[in-house]
Amino acid sequence: MTEVPQSATQAAGDTLESVLASIQRLEQATDIGWCSDWVKSFKPIETITDEFVNKRIAAFAGKEEDLINGIKARRERLSLSSGITNQIISICQQILGFGAAGIALTVGFIDKIKQFSIPVQKSLAIVGIFYSELIVLSLLVLIWYMLQARFRYPSLYFDKIGNAWPFFYYASITPVTRSPIQTSKQRFVASASYAIDFANFTERVLNEKPKERLRAELQQYFLLMSYQAYVHQFSLRLASVFTYGFLGAVGTALLMFGLLFGGRL
Amino acid sequence: MKYKGKIGEFKWWGFVLSLLLCVSVGFLAYSRFVFVNGPTQDQIKATADDALTRVNDLQAQVANLKEQVSALQKQVLSIDKGHGLH
């Protein structure tokens, strides 16, 4: 792994401490309601952060290429996927599938249940309650997962300190219609936007200076680390919800069976 | 504040809350059930056989009554003839 050089010098002007203090003051002074436009309120903080980062990079006296290679090597090693989420979703899908089949069978044979003895009927009722709770848990987990999958990360709304322009399309691609069925005019407009964006992108890439590359690499590295935190924490919380619910359902079934066999139910 | 390992650990109150919810829903659902014994197959067959027997008996009674009615009708006719009504 390439070592990151330690030759960065302290920038003239704002120090990290003063910038952090300014951000904290702005944060405390900003009153955000339930439906406030937080993006607009965040702009001053973004500006301060952007200026600080630019100053530090401008004052960097080491070799940009070395630092860029070090950052790239670290970024490639970031783990951005969760291991357990897919397993949990798969289990929930199975529970729902078998639950639907179970409901169909129950409806078909429910009149035959009266032929069993009362203790057997009670046992079947407890099993039915247990599986119903698992079905509700699975639905809850799937809804939670869909909310996480559709989560809009705050960095998507940043203009200057979010996704770096070489790594994400927001800064380089003009919004055009994404309808799967398009008219000739829509296709023409999209194509013209493509040509304009390509020309601008080419100019930007060819004129990119080493310090701008360094800024982009550093920015994207940090953004991916922030994304990793979201993914990891989402996965942990999904696993927690599933575990709590599953053990709750199992505990309930055990308690009810215990009471049944103890003659209390 | 920075992330620490504690944030990912299970919380005891999570289990307690989940168990309380599941138990309350479980007992609420259980209280709605009514457990009765329906008749067995033998009982159903015995009831059906009994009903069939009664139907046969009733049919036999109906046939008997029809015979009695036709015999009485014949008597009435013969009486009417003797009195010169036909």
Side-chain angles (χ1 to χ4, degrees):
Chain A
M1 181 178 153
T2 309
E3 283 297 319
V4 175
Q6 301 293 317
S7 58
T9 58
Q10 195 66 28
D14 293 339
T15 61
L16 176 63
E17 289 74 20
S18 65
V19 166
L20 293 180
S22 303
I23 292 172
Q24 276 170 356
R25 274 196 298 275
L26 277 169
E27 186 186 359
Q28 281 155 15
T30 308
D31 185 26
I32 302 284
W34 274 87
C35 299
S36 303
D37 185 359
W38 69 269
V39 180
K40 199 170 147 187
S41 304
F42 180 71
K43 288 275 180 255
I45 297 177
E46 188 179 19
T47 304
I48 289 175
T49 312
D50 181 53
E51 283 170 4
F52 170 74
V53 171
N54 281 339
K55 279 184 192 167
R56 291 292 283 115
I57 287 176
F60 178 67
K63 288 186 185 170
E64 288 91 358
E65 281 307 315
D66 289 345
L67 188 51
I68 286 170
N69 289 334
I71 289 171
K72 263 190 193 167
R74 289 177 181 174
R75 201 177 70 220
E76 279 158 15
R77 283 172 170 76
L78 280 177
S79 166
L80 296 176
S81 61
S82 64
I84 201 162
T85 299
N86 290 340
Q87 268 75 344
I88 290 173
I89 299 302
S90 175
I91 290 168
C92 292
Q93 287 169 340
Q94 298 273 359
I95 289 172
L96 284 174
F98 281 112
I103 288 171
L105 281 171
T106 304
V107 166
F109 290 98
I110 198 160
D111 57 329
K112 305 265 188 296
I113 289 178
K114 281 188 284 190
Q115 296 174 11
F116 294 116
S117 64
I118 299 291
V120 172
Q121 287 184 36
K122 287 183 176 179
S123 300
L124 288 173
I126 293 171
V127 169
I129 289 168
F130 167 66
Y131 207 86
S132 300
E133 287 179 344
L134 286 185
I135 289 174
V136 169
L137 171 68
S138 299
L139 280 172
L140 185 69
V141 165
L142 284 176
I143 290 169
W144 195 259
Y145 173 72
M146 282 190 279
L147 287 172
Q148 287 179 347
R150 280 290 296 134
F151 182 73
R152 304 292 294 161
Y153 302 99
S155 57
L156 287 169
Y157 300 92
F158 300 166
D159 285 332
K160 298 170 191 168
I161 61 172
N163 278 287
W165 70 267
F167 302 100
F168 198 61
Y169 65 92
Y170 267 28
S172 305
I173 306 294
T174 304
V176 293
T177 179
R178 301 294 173 196
S179 168
I181 301 170
Q182 295 186 9
T183 61
S184 295
K185 175 140 191 205
Q186 285 170 328
R187 285 178 190 268
F188 178 76
V189 166
S191 303
S193 297
Y194 178 91
I196 292 168
D197 293 338
F198 183 38
N200 282 327
F201 191 75
T202 304
E203 188 70 19
R204 205 167 178 185
V205 169
L206 294 175
N207 290 334
E208 194 180 13
K209 297 184 179 50
K211 287 205 187 300
E212 287 169 356
R213 281 187 61 209
L214 175 60
R215 165 75 196 251
E217 291 287 339
L218 186 64
Q219 189 168 315
Q220 195 65 13
Y221 175 41
F222 181 75
L223 185 130
L224 287 178
M225 197 173 289
S226 167
Y227 173 73
Q228 181 195 52
Y230 276 107
V231 166
H232 190 232
Q233 293 298 310
F234 279 167
S235 177
L236 283 175
R237 274 150 182 76
L238 197 76
S240 295
V241 166
F242 182 76
T243 307
Y244 292 149
F246 188 80
L247 290 179
V250 168
T252 301
L254 288 174
L255 178 68
M256 291 179 88
F257 270 119
L259 289 172
L260 176 67
F261 294 139
R264 303 297 182 108
L265 216 59
Chain B
M1 193 191 84
K2 296 290 174 200
Y3 279 110
K4 288 190 180 11
K6 277 191 180 297
I7 288 180
E9 288 173 356
F10 286 120
K11 309 288 190 293
W12 64 267
W13 50 261
F15 291 110
V16 169
L17 186 67
S18 173
L19 190 63
L20 282 174
L21 265 171
C22 288
V23 164
S24 49
V25 165
F27 278 102
L28 183 68
Y30 188 84
S31 66
R32 302 285 183 187
F33 285 111
V34 175
F35 301 103
V36 291
N37 269 134
T40 62
Q41 288 291 341
D42 291 340
Q43 286 171 334
I44 293 170
K45 191 172 182 311
T47 309
D49 289 343
D50 183 49
L52 211 59
T53 309
R54 288 175 66 188
V55 164
N56 289 337
D57 286 345
L58 283 168
Q59 280 176 342
Q61 283 181 24
V62 164
N64 194 18
L65 284 169
K66 275 185 183 172
E67 279 176 16
Q68 288 180 17
V69 163
S70 74
L72 281 170
Q73 276 176 343
K74 282 180 188 164
Q75 279 184 12
V76 166
L77 272 172
S78 63
I79 290 168
D80 287 342
K81 269 190 186 166
H83 285 104
L85 292 175
H86 295 280

XYZ file of all heavy atoms in Angstrom, chain A residues 171-247:
633
model
N -22.755 16.491 -11.403
C -22.060 17.730 -11.784
C -21.812 17.829 -13.278
O -21.425 18.882 -13.777
C -20.732 17.814 -11.039
N -22.001 16.734 -13.999
C -21.577 16.736 -15.403
C -22.703 16.513 -16.400
O -22.554 16.855 -17.571
C -20.527 15.637 -15.633
O -19.463 15.786 -14.739
N -23.830 15.935 -15.959
C -24.891 15.551 -16.894
C -26.098 16.453 -16.677
O -26.575 16.595 -15.558
C -25.304 14.069 -16.689
C -24.090 13.152 -16.769
C -26.384 13.662 -17.684
C -23.440 13.082 -18.121
N -26.597 17.047 -17.758
C -27.797 17.903 -17.679
C -29.025 17.019 -17.501
O -29.160 16.009 -18.194
C -27.953 18.694 -18.988
O -26.758 19.437 -19.209
C -29.137 19.634 -18.927
N -29.926 17.388 -16.606
C -31.143 16.569 -16.461
C -31.974 16.582 -17.735
O -32.239 17.632 -18.319
C -31.904 17.274 -15.325
C -30.874 18.056 -14.591
C -29.852 18.445 -15.599
N -32.341 15.377 -18.201
C -33.237 15.233 -19.352
C -34.315 14.236 -18.959
O -34.198 13.568 -17.941
C -32.484 14.733 -20.607
C -31.495 15.780 -21.095
C -31.772 13.419 -20.342
N -35.335 14.131 -19.789
C -36.403 13.203 -19.459
C -35.885 11.766 -19.461
O -35.081 11.384 -20.313
C -37.598 13.350 -20.426
O -38.602 12.393 -20.069
C -37.189 13.083 -21.868
N -36.376 10.970 -18.476
C -35.955 9.564 -18.393
C -37.122 8.637 -18.703
O -37.103 7.470 -18.346
C -35.427 9.240 -16.982
C -34.240 10.081 -16.555
C -33.017 9.818 -17.386
N -31.936 10.746 -17.072
C -30.879 10.948 -17.817
N -30.754 10.304 -18.956
N -29.939 11.790 -17.451
N -38.124 9.169 -19.369
C -39.254 8.319 -19.725
C -38.788 7.245 -20.705
O -37.994 7.525 -21.609
C -40.344 9.181 -20.374
O -41.300 8.357 -20.969
N -39.254 5.989 -20.547
C -38.819 4.935 -21.469
C -39.399 5.092 -22.874
O -38.884 4.518 -23.826
C -39.336 3.645 -20.812
C -40.428 4.062 -19.919
C -40.127 5.458 -19.495
N -40.467 5.876 -22.971
C -41.048 6.139 -24.303
C -40.878 7.632 -24.543
O -41.398 8.449 -23.792
C -42.547 5.766 -24.340
C -42.693 4.273 -23.993
C -43.169 6.081 -25.687
C -44.116 3.834 -23.759
N -40.149 7.987 -25.598
C -39.853 9.413 -25.805
C -40.227 9.834 -27.223
O -40.164 9.037 -28.167
C -38.353 9.662 -25.570
C -37.943 9.406 -24.139
C -36.503 9.795 -23.869
O -35.856 10.404 -24.712
N -36.006 9.468 -22.692
N -40.563 11.107 -27.329
C -40.868 11.650 -28.655
C -39.546 12.022 -29.338
O -38.475 12.047 -28.713
C -41.736 12.907 -28.530
O -40.984 13.890 -27.790
C -43.029 12.610 -27.789
N -39.647 12.336 -30.608
C -38.442 12.722 -31.360
C -37.835 13.993 -30.774
O -36.609 14.120 -30.664
C -38.797 12.967 -32.828
O -39.219 11.776 -33.423
N -38.699 14.904 -30.361
C -38.190 16.181 -29.822
C -37.412 15.929 -28.518
O -36.355 16.509 -28.295
C -39.374 17.112 -29.557
C -38.955 18.393 -28.882
C -39.680 19.597 -29.398
C -38.937 20.804 -28.823
N -39.574 21.931 -28.669
N -37.960 15.047 -27.676
C -37.285 14.749 -26.409
C -35.926 14.111 -26.658
O -34.930 14.433 -26.002
C -38.157 13.800 -25.552
C -39.344 14.500 -24.918
C -40.325 13.544 -24.277
O -40.514 12.409 -24.738
N -40.980 13.985 -23.224
N -35.889 13.215 -27.626
C -34.609 12.560 -27.945
C -33.606 13.586 -28.480
O -32.415 13.538 -28.161
C -34.814 11.468 -28.979
C -35.451 10.216 -28.416
C -35.673 9.183 -29.522
N -36.491 8.088 -29.051
C -36.018 6.964 -28.518
N -34.720 6.791 -28.390
N -36.826 6.014 -28.102
N -34.128 14.519 -29.274
C -33.245 15.528 -29.866
C -32.658 16.425 -28.776
O -31.459 16.692 -28.756
C -34.025 16.367 -30.884
C -33.198 17.448 -31.508
C -32.263 17.149 -32.490
C -33.328 18.768 -31.096
C -31.486 18.144 -33.068
C -32.555 19.770 -31.667
C -31.631 19.451 -32.651
N -33.533 16.849 -27.854
C -33.073 17.722 -26.759
C -32.044 16.982 -25.895
O -31.018 17.549 -25.503
C -34.289 18.180 -25.909
C -33.848 18.783 -24.602
C -35.143 19.156 -26.687
N -32.331 15.703 -25.619
C -31.398 14.909 -24.797
C -30.050 14.760 -25.504
O -28.982 14.822 -24.880
C -31.998 13.536 -24.515
N -30.100 14.576 -26.787
C -28.863 14.413 -27.550
C -28.066 15.707 -27.580
O -26.840 15.701 -27.463
C -29.179 13.964 -28.982
O -29.935 12.767 -28.942
N -28.769 16.842 -27.729
C -28.063 18.134 -27.713
C -27.408 18.357 -26.353
O -26.266 18.819 -26.261
C -29.042 19.264 -28.032
N -28.132 18.004 -25.278
C -27.566 18.123 -23.927
C -26.333 17.237 -23.799
O -25.334 17.617 -23.177
C -28.585 17.705 -22.867
O -29.697 18.558 -22.889
N -26.404 16.034 -24.376
C -25.265 15.113 -24.345
C -24.039 15.757 -24.988
O -22.929 15.710 -24.431
C -25.644 13.815 -25.069
C -24.532 12.801 -25.150
C -24.371 11.831 -24.161
C -23.623 12.818 -26.219
C -23.355 10.907 -24.230
C -22.592 11.893 -26.285
C -22.470 10.935 -25.299
O -21.446 10.024 -25.364
N -24.252 16.367 -26.150
C -23.129 16.979 -26.862
C -22.522 18.125 -26.043
O -21.299 18.240 -25.926
C -23.596 17.477 -28.233
N -23.401 18.945 -25.468
C -22.921 20.084 -24.661
C -22.153 19.561 -23.450
O -21.057 20.042 -23.119
C -24.110 20.954 -24.215
C -24.741 21.648 -25.422
C -23.696 21.972 -23.175
C -26.081 22.296 -25.145
N -22.736 18.572 -22.773
C -22.098 18.028 -21.565
C -20.759 17.402 -21.902
O -19.785 17.527 -21.140
C -23.005 16.976 -20.910
C -24.278 17.572 -20.339
O -24.290 18.789 -20.072
O -25.270 16.830 -20.182
N -20.689 16.712 -23.031
C -19.444 16.056 -23.424
C -18.350 17.095 -23.682
O -17.197 16.922 -23.261
C -19.698 15.208 -24.667
C -18.497 14.423 -25.141
C -17.622 13.845 -24.236
C -18.239 14.269 -26.494
C -16.509 13.129 -24.668
C -17.137 13.547 -26.931
C -16.265 12.970 -26.026
N -18.714 18.175 -24.362
C -17.737 19.223 -24.640
C -17.222 19.846 -23.338
O -16.013 20.024 -23.141
C -18.363 20.285 -25.536
N -18.176 20.147 -22.432
C -17.777 20.741 -21.148
C -16.902 19.776 -20.353
O -15.912 20.166 -19.729
C -19.020 21.068 -20.311
C -19.703 22.328 -20.782
O -19.045 23.261 -21.257
N -21.010 22.377 -20.683
N -17.271 18.499 -20.371
C -16.547 17.494 -19.599
C -15.116 17.334 -20.127
O -14.157 17.254 -19.356
C -17.306 16.168 -19.674
C -16.819 15.121 -18.717
C -17.109 15.199 -17.365
C -16.050 14.052 -19.157
C -16.668 14.230 -16.472
C -15.598 13.081 -18.282
C -15.910 13.165 -16.940
N -15.021 17.317 -21.440
C -13.689 17.178 -22.054
C -12.796 18.334 -21.638
O -11.634 18.142 -21.247
C -13.832 17.151 -23.593
O -14.728 16.107 -23.944
C -12.496 16.937 -24.268
N -13.355 19.547 -21.724
C -12.592 20.750 -21.346
C -12.151 20.658 -19.885
O -11.003 20.960 -19.556
C -13.509 21.964 -21.561
C -12.843 23.300 -21.405
C -11.860 23.619 -22.537
O -11.958 22.988 -23.612
O -10.991 24.459 -22.328
N -13.076 20.214 -19.065
C -12.776 20.153 -17.622
C -11.690 19.133 -17.322
O -10.784 19.377 -16.524
C -14.064 19.786 -16.876
C -14.087 20.259 -15.450
C -15.474 20.152 -14.889
N -15.466 20.580 -13.491
C -16.495 20.516 -12.674
N -17.634 20.025 -13.127
N -16.409 20.914 -11.435
N -11.782 17.967 -17.939
C -10.801 16.913 -17.670
C -9.424 17.327 -18.165
O -8.405 17.146 -17.476
C -11.239 15.582 -18.335
C -10.120 14.559 -18.306
C -12.461 15.013 -17.630
N -9.374 17.917 -19.359
C -8.077 18.267 -19.934
C -7.427 19.433 -19.208
O -6.195 19.571 -19.214
C -8.239 18.590 -21.432
C -8.650 17.405 -22.297
C -8.906 17.824 -23.742
C -7.587 16.305 -22.269
N -8.244 20.273 -18.583
C -7.689 21.421 -17.857
C -7.517 21.153 -16.368
O -7.145 22.057 -15.621
C -8.617 22.645 -18.006
C -8.582 23.179 -19.413
O -7.598 23.010 -20.126
N -9.658 23.808 -19.839
N -7.795 19.928 -15.960
C -7.749 19.624 -14.526
C -6.316 19.719 -14.016
O -5.399 19.097 -14.565
C -8.312 18.229 -14.282
C -8.632 17.928 -12.818
C -9.183 16.527 -12.620
O -9.103 15.698 -13.551
O -9.701 16.251 -11.534
N -6.158 20.467 -12.952
C -4.831 20.624 -12.373
C -4.625 19.557 -11.295
O -5.606 19.023 -10.753
C -4.692 22.018 -11.772
C -4.800 23.136 -12.806
C -4.553 24.486 -12.174
C -4.628 25.604 -13.192
N -5.821 25.588 -14.050
N -3.368 19.299 -10.934
C -3.106 18.278 -9.912
C -3.827 18.551 -8.598
O -4.341 17.630 -7.963
C -1.579 18.332 -9.745
C -1.076 18.825 -11.054
C -2.128 19.774 -11.555
N -3.876 19.799 -8.180
C -4.558 20.093 -6.904
C -6.061 19.875 -7.017
O -6.707 19.488 -6.050
C -4.247 21.525 -6.461
C -2.824 21.668 -5.943
C -2.691 22.823 -4.986
C -1.229 23.082 -4.607
N -0.556 21.991 -3.958
N -6.620 20.085 -8.200
C -8.046 19.815 -8.377
C -8.302 18.309 -8.338
O -9.301 17.850 -7.774
C -8.528 20.381 -9.728
C -8.633 21.895 -9.730
C -8.857 22.451 -11.130
O -8.845 21.678 -12.095
O -9.043 23.676 -11.239
N -7.391 17.552 -8.905
C -7.510 16.093 -8.853
C -7.424 15.609 -7.415
O -8.162 14.717 -6.996
C -6.407 15.432 -9.684
C -6.666 15.433 -11.172
C -5.630 14.632 -11.917
N -5.655 13.246 -11.461
C -4.581 12.457 -11.476
N -3.413 12.909 -11.875
N -4.668 11.205 -11.066
N -6.486 16.209 -6.679
C -6.321 15.833 -5.279
C -7.609 16.130 -4.511
O -8.086 15.317 -3.712
C -5.142 16.588 -4.675
C -4.902 16.406 -3.183
C -4.651 14.940 -2.857
C -3.709 17.249 -2.721
N -8.172 17.311 -4.754
C -9.422 17.693 -4.085
C -10.527 16.679 -4.410
O -11.261 16.235 -3.525
C -9.837 19.100 -4.537
C -11.271 19.504 -4.233
C -11.485 19.841 -2.788
N -12.910 19.847 -2.465
C -13.622 20.932 -2.207
N -13.060 22.127 -2.229
N -14.905 20.834 -1.920
N -10.639 16.304 -5.677
C -11.687 15.366 -6.096
C -11.497 14.001 -5.436
O -12.456 13.386 -4.951
C -11.694 15.229 -7.616
N -10.260 13.523 -5.416
C -9.988 12.207 -4.818
C -10.294 12.217 -3.322
O -10.918 11.288 -2.794
C -8.517 11.831 -5.032
C -8.128 11.538 -6.470
C -8.664 10.215 -6.991
O -9.004 9.331 -6.165
O -8.758 10.068 -8.222
N -9.853 13.253 -2.650
C -10.060 13.359 -1.201
C -11.546 13.446 -0.886
O -12.055 12.781 0.019
C -9.328 14.612 -0.706
C -9.286 14.866 0.793
C -8.504 13.775 1.479
C -8.635 16.216 1.058
N -12.245 14.259 -1.671
C -13.679 14.470 -1.451
C -14.448 13.171 -1.652
O -15.309 12.805 -0.840
C -14.169 15.547 -2.414
C -15.568 16.024 -2.160
C -15.867 17.270 -2.963
O -15.046 18.186 -3.004
N -17.012 17.314 -3.595
N -14.143 12.466 -2.720
C -14.869 11.229 -3.010
C -14.527 10.136 -2.006
O -15.390 9.341 -1.625
C -14.556 10.758 -4.433
C -15.507 9.707 -4.952
C -16.934 10.210 -5.114
O -17.192 11.410 -5.063
N -17.882 9.308 -5.284
N -13.274 10.102 -1.560
C -12.860 9.122 -0.556
C -13.672 9.312 0.718
O -14.214 8.360 1.282
C -11.359 9.288 -0.289
C -10.775 8.430 0.803
C -11.156 7.103 0.957
C -9.816 8.945 1.665
C -10.600 6.313 1.953
C -9.262 8.161 2.660
C -9.651 6.849 2.807
O -9.089 6.086 3.796
N -13.772 10.566 1.141
C -14.529 10.819 2.363
C -16.017 10.521 2.159
O -16.678 9.970 3.041
C -14.352 12.266 2.847
C -15.106 12.504 4.115
C -14.632 11.996 5.312
C -16.305 13.169 4.119
C -15.357 12.162 6.490
C -17.028 13.352 5.283
C -16.549 12.841 6.470
N -16.553 10.872 0.987
C -17.966 10.620 0.732
C -18.274 9.127 0.770
O -19.297 8.698 1.312
C -18.354 11.195 -0.638
C -19.849 11.071 -0.931
C -20.415 12.394 -1.380
C -20.118 10.013 -1.980
N -17.378 8.314 0.218
C -17.595 6.864 0.248
C -17.532 6.317 1.673
O -18.246 5.384 2.031
C -16.570 6.158 -0.638
C -16.812 6.318 -2.139
C -15.721 5.630 -2.936
C -18.163 5.766 -2.560
N -16.672 6.934 2.489
C -16.603 6.506 3.876
C -17.919 6.853 4.597
O -18.439 6.076 5.400
C -15.430 7.172 4.573
C -15.059 6.477 5.865
S -13.567 7.108 6.595
C -12.358 6.499 5.487
N -18.451 8.018 4.292
C -19.744 8.413 4.865
C -20.846 7.447 4.394
O -21.703 7.033 5.171
C -20.059 9.841 4.424
O -21.397 10.145 4.699
N -20.796 7.080 3.115
C -21.765 6.139 2.557
C -21.631 4.775 3.236
O -22.631 4.127 3.553
C -21.535 6.018 1.049
C -22.363 4.957 0.378
C -23.733 5.131 0.186
C -21.780 3.780 -0.080
C -24.494 4.160 -0.428
C -22.548 2.809 -0.685
C -23.891 3.006 -0.866
O -24.646 2.030 -1.471
N -20.400 4.372 3.488
C -20.153 3.101 4.174
C -20.811 3.110 5.556
O -21.397 2.114 5.987
C -18.651 2.876 4.322
C -18.282 1.561 5.000
C -16.840 1.539 5.458
O -16.381 2.443 6.149
N -16.114 0.496 5.091
N -20.732 4.264 6.234
C -21.347 4.374 7.563
C -22.856 4.166 7.468
O -23.453 3.464 8.277
C -21.033 5.738 8.170
N -23.477 4.805 6.476
C -24.924 4.628 6.294
C -25.260 3.164 6.033
O -26.156 2.590 6.666
C -25.430 5.469 5.121
C -25.743 6.899 5.479
C -24.912 7.933 5.076
C -26.886 7.221 6.207
C -25.192 9.248 5.392
C -27.176 8.540 6.525
C -26.326 9.542 6.113
O -26.620 10.837 6.443
N -24.550 2.559 5.091
C -24.843 1.166 4.704
C -24.686 0.242 5.909
O -25.540 -0.605 6.181
C -23.915 0.726 3.549
C -23.958 -0.775 3.353
C -24.304 1.419 2.263
N -23.605 0.419 6.627
C -23.321 -0.445 7.775
C -24.353 -0.267 8.875
O -24.882 -1.233 9.430
C -21.918 -0.132 8.287
C -21.420 -1.110 9.291
N -20.910 -0.722 10.510
C -21.385 -2.461 9.284
C -20.574 -1.803 11.195
N -20.838 -2.861 10.465
N -24.677 0.993 9.161
C -25.643 1.256 10.225
C -27.044 0.815 9.834
O -27.810 0.307 10.663
C -25.638 2.752 10.573
C -24.341 3.219 11.215
C -24.064 2.537 12.533
O -24.915 2.477 13.405
N -22.872 1.986 12.684
N -27.391 0.999 8.555
C -28.693 0.507 8.073
C -28.773 -1.005 8.257
O -29.791 -1.542 8.705
C -28.875 0.836 6.584
C -29.322 2.239 6.307
C -29.270 2.762 5.021
C -29.823 3.057 7.311
C -29.679 4.059 4.749
C -30.236 4.354 7.061
C -30.167 4.853 5.764
N -27.679 -1.687 7.912
C -27.662 -3.139 8.000
C -27.799 -3.590 9.452
O -28.564 -4.520 9.759
C -26.360 -3.664 7.393
O -26.284 -5.056 7.531
N -27.082 -2.924 10.339
C -27.157 -3.286 11.757
C -28.572 -3.097 12.293
O -29.091 -3.939 13.026
C -26.198 -2.411 12.572
C -24.719 -2.765 12.513
C -23.911 -1.723 13.263
C -24.451 -4.140 13.069
N -29.197 -1.982 11.928
C -30.536 -1.712 12.438
C -31.565 -2.682 11.872
O -32.476 -3.112 12.571
C -30.936 -0.265 12.124
C -30.440 0.694 13.181
C -30.145 2.067 12.650
N -29.623 2.940 13.683
C -28.386 2.902 14.150
N -27.533 2.043 13.646
N -27.997 3.716 15.104
N -31.402 -3.047 10.594
C -32.320 -4.019 9.999
C -32.169 -5.360 10.708
O -33.176 -6.013 11.035
C -32.010 -4.183 8.504
C -33.110 -4.842 7.690
C -34.241 -3.876 7.447
C -32.564 -5.331 6.363
N -30.931 -5.757 10.970
C -30.692 -7.017 11.674
C -31.271 -6.959 13.085
O -31.837 -7.941 13.570
C -29.190 -7.316 11.724
N -31.154 -5.813 13.723
C -31.702 -5.665 15.083
C -33.220 -5.797 15.074
O -33.784 -6.515 15.900
C -31.318 -4.303 15.666
O -29.930 -4.222 15.826
N -33.876 -5.099 14.142
C -35.348 -5.161 14.061
C -35.788 -6.608 13.862
O -36.706 -7.101 14.528
C -35.871 -4.260 12.919
C -37.318 -4.570 12.594
C -35.725 -2.807 13.287
N -35.115 -7.306 12.940
C -35.482 -8.683 12.653
C -35.245 -9.582 13.872
O -36.083 -10.411 14.224
C -34.687 -9.202 11.459
C -35.040 -10.603 11.065
C -36.201 -10.872 10.373
C -34.214 -11.662 11.411
C -36.556 -12.166 10.017
C -34.554 -12.966 11.068
C -35.723 -13.219 10.367
N -34.109 -9.406 14.523
C -33.779 -10.264 15.664
C -34.739 -10.030 16.823
O -35.246 -10.991 17.429
C -32.343 -10.016 16.121
O -31.475 -10.154 15.001
C -31.915 -11.004 17.187
N -34.998 -8.761 17.116
C -35.938 -8.456 18.209
C -37.306 -9.096 17.926
O -37.916 -9.731 18.781
C -36.143 -6.938 18.365
C -34.938 -6.172 18.855
C -34.727 -4.856 18.463
C -34.022 -6.740 19.722
C -33.632 -4.134 18.895
C -32.916 -6.023 20.159
C -32.733 -4.720 19.741
O -31.640 -4.003 20.167
N -37.792 -8.884 16.697
C -39.119 -9.382 16.348
C -39.182 -10.898 16.356
O -40.134 -11.493 16.863
N -38.135 -11.530 15.801
C -38.134 -12.988 15.715
C -38.115 -13.603 17.123
O -38.886 -14.524 17.427
C -36.919 -13.450 14.918
C -36.918 -14.919 14.614
C -37.689 -15.417 13.572
C -36.171 -15.798 15.366
C -37.703 -16.775 13.289
C -36.192 -17.163 15.096
C -36.955 -17.652 14.050
N -37.246 -13.089 17.964
C -37.166 -13.638 19.324
C -38.426 -13.319 20.118
O -38.836 -14.109 20.971
C -35.921 -13.101 20.029
C -34.608 -13.658 19.470
C -33.405 -13.069 20.184
C -34.574 -15.174 19.582
